[in-house]
Amino acid sequence: MIRSATHADIGDLLVLSEAMHAESRYVAYPFSPSKMAGLFRALIDGHGCVFVAEAEGQLVGMAAGYCEEFWFADAKVAGEYGIYVTKQHRGSRLGVQLLREYVRWCKDVGADLIQAGITTGVTHERTSQVYQGIGFTPTGTVFEYTGE
């Protein structure tokens, strides 16, 4: 089941966030539960969206996003902070359902452009296929400076 997150979910959202962080390439950067809790509070309070996936009474996935004005145009762009499903529940359709709920929210808040990316290094190929399967198109590449 997919539903909107509430403040009561923040503890479980932090557990999911820390698990996502631990298996991502961002593990080199310290995880901040207080910073994440603040972000979740703001998104739940209307500054974005947070959806959770439940299975057998437990939170096993999440999606968090935002929608804001373009810095260069009178139009709105939506993006996601992260979409995550625990390893045990990948392939169950929960990830697709979370992604679809994020897209629905983006449309509901009037996004002119809806974006989603994969920068964690986790299941890149499979996730790309899922995104493309529901209508996303690859549009660019992210480069990271590692020095000369």
Side-chain angles (χ1 to χ4, degrees), residues 33-77:
S34 62
K35 193 167 194 172
M36 286 301 307
L39 176 62
F40 287 136
R41 279 192 295 275
L43 296 175
I44 291 167
D45 286 344
H47 298 282
C49 67
V50 184
F51 300 105
V52 294
E54 288 184 311
E56 298 153 12
Q58 301 292 315
L59 295 192
V60 298
M62 64 178 179
Y66 61 90
C67 186
E68 62 189 19
E69 290 287 321
F70 268 114
W71 58 274
F72 64 88
D74 292 327
K76 292 166 74 174
V77 59

Side-chain angles (χ1 to χ4, degrees), residues 1-3 8-9 12 16 52-61 89 94:
M1 177 179 92
I2 307 299
R3 63 173 175 80
D9 295 317
D12 289 331
L16 289 171
V52 294
E54 288 184 311
E56 298 153 12
Q58 301 292 315
L59 295 192
V60 298
H89 290 86
L94 289 173

Side-chain angles (χ1 to χ4, degrees), residues 68-142:
E68 62 189 19
E69 290 287 321
F70 268 114
W71 58 274
F72 64 88
D74 292 327
K76 292 166 74 174
V77 59
E80 45 76 30
Y81 291 105
I83 299 173
Y84 179 75
V85 175
T86 60
K87 288 179 184 181
Q88 302 86 337
H89 290 86
R90 291 180 192 156
S92 66
R93 306 293 299 162
L94 289 173
V96 173
Q97 292 170 346
L98 284 165
L99 186 59
R100 287 186 189 282
E101 192 65 16
Y102 159 72
V103 169
R104 183 206 52 79
W105 176 84
C106 293
K107 290 176 180 179
D108 287 352
V109 297
D112 297 294
L113 175 63
I114 301 170
Q115 297 180 321
I118 309 160
T119 61
T120 58
V122 178
T123 64
H124 182 269
E125 292 302 319
R126 190 162 108 196
T127 304
S128 293
Q129 290 172 354
V130 169
Y131 284 21
Q132 290 177 61
I134 72 160
F136 283 90
T137 302
T139 58
T141 303
V142 175

